[in-house]
Amino acid sequence: MSDFRVYAIRYARRDALRGEHFHGHDATGTEPHPTSYYVWLAVSDRHTVLIDTGISRSRAETVAGLDYLASPAERLAELGVPAESVGHVVLTHLHYDHTGTAHEFTGARYVLQRAELDYWTGPWASRITRERWLLNDDDLARLQEAGKDGRVTLVDGDAEVVPGLSVHLVGGHTAGMQVVRVRTARGHVVLASDASHFYENLEDDRPFPILHSMTGMYAAFDRVKELADGPHLVVAGHDPEVLDRFPLLRPDIAVIATGE
Ligand SMILES: [Zn+2]
């Protein structure tokens, strides 16, 4: 059974402030703290799995200060991976910056937690102003269409997507937030996505301020640490530092693990 090659692929970045990224007010809240936007790719001899799909170009134009470097599909093309070769798209959660180009992966099966879909189609999300902004209605509608075509796998908890790659419900940031664990030659990597936007969230035990459950956020930190074969194999969701902690294949593309 072959191990996966794993890449963190940055497609956008934005200047931001520390206060946007750590729960609770403190004196450092107005200091600069840039954010990066990624998708992640796991490739083995048999499977091509994309984890999250970024922001669509049209939505990107509405996000103040966002520097949209390339679309996720364009980045995959740089790696020689055509969009139609992606067999599975794992959606860690349904915020707009993770679902925006899912429809471009026409040959893919979508994998998400049932709790996540239930939340966004349930009675609460539509009443909460911030949630209406965080969800892209068109992305949800297209996902529901794909569901009717039998292209969506809804998971309850933990599940293997393909041999060596599994998803794990952690909650916290959103109702059905999941992380991805990938077997590599270096050990098991965990793609934490927004279970830990920045390494500092996880390492200093300081939740991100946008959250569904505060205690769930802490439990997610614990679960991420438990699932990874060492802290050096955790990949944070929005941290520019990912591109410093792991070697670069080319600008904006870090190699989390090679195949051998
Ligand atoms: Zn995000």
Side-chain angles (χ1 to χ4, degrees), residues 1-249:
M1 231 181 292
S2 68
D3 289 320
F4 280 89
R5 307 191 292 284
V6 181
Y7 304 94
I9 300 168
R10 180 164 71 172
Y11 68 90
R13 61 182 171 217
R14 183 173 64 83
D15 289 333
L17 303 175
R18 279 186 65 83
E20 296 175 64
H21 298 156
F22 302 98
H23 191 271
H25 180 76
D26 72 26
T28 67
T30 55
E31 289 174 12
H33 198 260
T35 185
S36 289
Y37 296 78
Y38 300 92
V39 299
W40 302 272
L41 181 72
V43 187
S44 73
D45 293 344
R46 301 198 43 203
H47 298 286
T48 301
V49 181
L50 181 66
I51 295 91
D52 288 338
T53 64
I55 309 179
S56 67
R57 199 175 280 281
S58 56
R59 175 81 192 245
E61 285 164 11
T62 71
V63 181
L66 189 82
D67 183 9
Y68 197 70
L69 305 164
S71 79
E74 287 164 354
R75 283 282 192 247
L76 260 55
E78 290 175 29
L79 285 167
V81 176
E84 54 277 14
S85 73
V86 173
H88 291 83
V89 166
V90 172
L91 296 171
T92 63
H93 62 303
L94 297 185
H95 284 166
Y96 75 96
D97 58 323
H98 298 258
T99 59
T101 74
H103 60 286
E104 294 179 23
F105 300 92
T106 51
R109 165 166 289 279
Y110 303 106
V111 181
L112 68 153
Q113 293 285 330
R114 188 184 310 277
E116 183 72 4
L117 187 63
D118 284 354
Y119 175 76
W120 294 105
T121 55
W124 308 117
S126 62
R127 291 173 62 181
I128 304 169
T129 308
R130 190 187 64 189
E131 302 291 53
R132 286 203 301 273
W133 186 80
L134 285 166
L135 179 76
N136 204 60
D137 293 327
D138 292 344
D139 295 346
L140 178 60
R142 280 189 287 240
L143 193 61
Q144 288 174 305
E145 279 304 309
K148 287 181 196 154
D149 295 339
R151 290 179 56 209
V152 174
T153 299
L154 293 177
V155 177
D156 296 298
D158 298 357
E160 186 176 70
V161 177
V162 295
L165 188 148
S166 53
V167 293
H168 304 265
L169 173 66
V170 297
H173 177 58
T174 65
M177 173 86 214
Q178 62 181 358
V179 300
V180 179
R181 184 174 193 245
V182 192
R183 191 187 58 224
T184 76
R186 301 182 66 195
H188 286 96
V189 163
V190 172
L191 304 171
S193 181
D194 293 4
S196 189
H197 290 67
F198 297 89
Y199 283 107
E200 201 176 334
N201 296 119
L202 183 79
E203 291 168 3
D204 290 357
D205 219 21
R206 295 192 61 193
F208 190 82
I210 293 177
L211 47 79
H212 178 76
S213 157
M214 177 67 88
T215 49
M217 215 61 188
Y218 285 98
F221 290 161
D222 294 348
R223 188 75 175 124
V224 164
K225 289 177 189 166
E226 204 174 84
L227 289 167
D229 286 342
H232 62 295
L233 295 178
V234 173
V235 182
H238 284 267
D239 202 330
E241 208 176 299
V242 169
L243 301 177
D244 300 323
R245 290 196 182 197
F246 295 93
L248 295 185
L249 181 69

